[in-house]
């Protein structure tokens, strides 16, 4: 009976580690996509040091989970105590790191409100100044998602114009409609847009556009994160039980 229980534990351990292996492969693929994506998101990531660091952290986490899942599978099938102990210690560290990140995200969620982004935009945005990281990032967001400001073009009424600008409108160039939504895309009618003709401007705020675009993925990511934490927890339990059962 004890042998059957140990055999069952071994295969359950293999199964959970196989899911960790797949989860690591997904994170690795997602991290690579964020960095090399040609649709404009790469520009946003490169311009923002925090997002740039986050993309590489995602890559590192994916690679680590990929490796640990592989080691856990090998340790379970071959009943190697050294590999099982190594797996348990590292999966515990990853589990605690992910749990801490989830708690911090919950605590600082108020920094992702519409009011927060509006205040920051009005305070730091410098229009077409591409040497400024904040402005360049916002321009990339507005061009990529075909949106304007946080709530709409009215957000830029408080943003100062260039001293010798000949345009009367407060709408920045990044809010003008393009044939293709990228920095290289041709303007539909730049002059008409900058003189205030609304049909040549992107009028919808970026907050709503991005929220609608990623709403499904946020819930999916949350469910996936909970699933990964549960799998890691069960994998640690099975690893320790299998470790203690191996003679």
């Amino acid at each position: 009976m004890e042998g059957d229980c140990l055999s069952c534990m071994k295969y359950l351990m293999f199964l959970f580690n196989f899911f960790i292996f797949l989860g690591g492969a997904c994170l690795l693929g997602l991290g690579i996509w964020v960095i090399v994506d040609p649709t404009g998101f790469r520009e946003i990531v490169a311009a923002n040091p925090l997002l740039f660091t986050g993309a590489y952290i995602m890559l590192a986490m994916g690679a680590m989970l990929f490796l640990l899942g592989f080691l856990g599978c090998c340790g379970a099938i071959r009943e190697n105590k050294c590999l099982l102990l190594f797996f348990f210690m590292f999966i515990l560290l990853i589990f605690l790191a992910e749990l801490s990140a989830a708690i911090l995200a919950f605590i600082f969620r108020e920094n992702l409100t519409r009011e927060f982004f509006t205040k920051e935009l009005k305070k730091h945005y410098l229009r077409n100044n591409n040497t400024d990281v904040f402005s360049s990032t916002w321009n990339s967001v507005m061009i990529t998602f075909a949106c304007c400001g946080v709530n709409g073009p009215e957000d830029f009424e408080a943003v100062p114009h260039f001293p010798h600008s000949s345009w009367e409108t407060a709408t920045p160039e990044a809010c003008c409609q393009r044939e293709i939504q990228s920095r290289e895309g041709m303007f539909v009618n730049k002059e008409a847009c900058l003189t205030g003709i609304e049909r040549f401007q992107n009028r919808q705020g970026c907050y709503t556009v991005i929220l609608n675009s990623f709403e499904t993925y946020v819930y999916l990511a949350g469910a996936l994160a909970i699933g990964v934490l549960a799998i890691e927890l069960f994998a640690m339990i099975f690893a320790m039980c299998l470790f203690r059962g191996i003679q």
Side-chain angles (χ1 to χ4, degrees):
M1 187 59 139
E2 187 178 343
D4 291 339
C5 184
L6 186 64
S7 179
C8 179
M9 193 70 67
K10 179 173 75 173
Y11 287 110
L12 281 173
M13 170 75 179
F14 177 85
L15 182 64
F16 276 107
N17 277 283
F18 181 70
F19 283 123
I20 291 172
F21 176 82
L22 289 180
C26 289
L27 272 180
L28 198 58
L30 184 61
I32 293 171
W33 174 78
V34 167
I35 291 172
V36 304
D37 171 51
T39 61
F41 192 64
R42 176 179 53 190
E43 295 177 6
I44 301 170
V45 173
N48 191 317
L50 185 61
L51 289 178
F52 188 76
T53 304
Y56 278 97
I57 288 174
M58 189 187 300
L59 271 177
M61 291 292 289
M64 191 176 294
L65 285 174
F66 183 87
L67 177 62
L68 286 175
F70 177 77
L71 290 175
C73 288
C74 291
I77 292 298
R78 302 179 70 175
E79 298 184 9
N80 187 307
K81 295 184 76 171
C82 183
L83 281 177
L84 288 172
L85 184 61
F86 177 82
F87 166 82
F88 177 84
M89 295 301 295
F90 273 86
I91 209 73
L92 177 62
L93 290 175
I94 292 173
F95 179 84
L96 293 175
E98 290 173 345
L99 194 61
S100 300
I103 292 170
L104 286 173
F106 179 79
I107 292 172
F108 293 105
R109 70 190 185 283
E110 65 272 8
N111 287 340
L112 299 178
T113 61
R114 185 189 296 268
E115 292 73 22
F116 172 79
F117 286 118
T118 303
K119 179 182 175 182
E120 290 297 301
L121 179 69
K122 291 180 178 179
K123 183 178 179 181
H124 299 293
Y125 184 68
L126 300 176
R127 296 185 178 272
N128 296 326
N129 186 349
N130 289 321
T131 60
D132 178 66
V133 172
F134 184 89
S135 303
S136 178
T137 301
W138 260 106
N139 287 335
S140 295
V141 169
M142 292 189 291
I143 291 169
T144 301
F145 291 96
C147 56
C148 189
V150 178
N151 308 287
E154 63 274 9
D155 290 342
F156 298 102
E157 291 175 1
V159 177
H161 296 255
F162 289 119
H164 303 292
S165 175
S166 59
W167 310 110
E168 298 177 0
T169 181
T171 305
E173 184 179 297
C175 290
C176 295
Q177 291 181 6
R178 297 169 185 252
E179 294 177 2
I180 300 173
Q181 291 307 132
S182 70
R183 285 185 179 272
E184 292 74 30
M186 296 291 293
F187 290 100
V188 175
N189 191 328
K190 180 179 175 182
E191 289 77 11
C193 166
L194 294 179
T195 51
I197 300 177
E198 293 185 2
R199 65 192 180 95
F200 295 109
Q201 299 173 351
N202 296 315
R203 305 291 299 175
Q204 194 169 12
C206 293
Y207 191 88
T208 302
V209 171
I210 295 174
L211 199 63
N212 291 338
S213 300
F214 288 101
E215 186 175 13
T216 304
Y217 299 105
V218 167
Y219 289 118
L220 183 63
L224 183 63
I226 292 171
V228 168
L229 287 172
I231 289 170
E232 289 172 354
L233 183 61
F234 279 110
M236 286 189 292
I237 293 170
F238 289 142
M240 190 49 61
C241 291
L242 189 60
F243 178 85
R244 297 188 63 179
I246 296 173
Q247 300 299 323

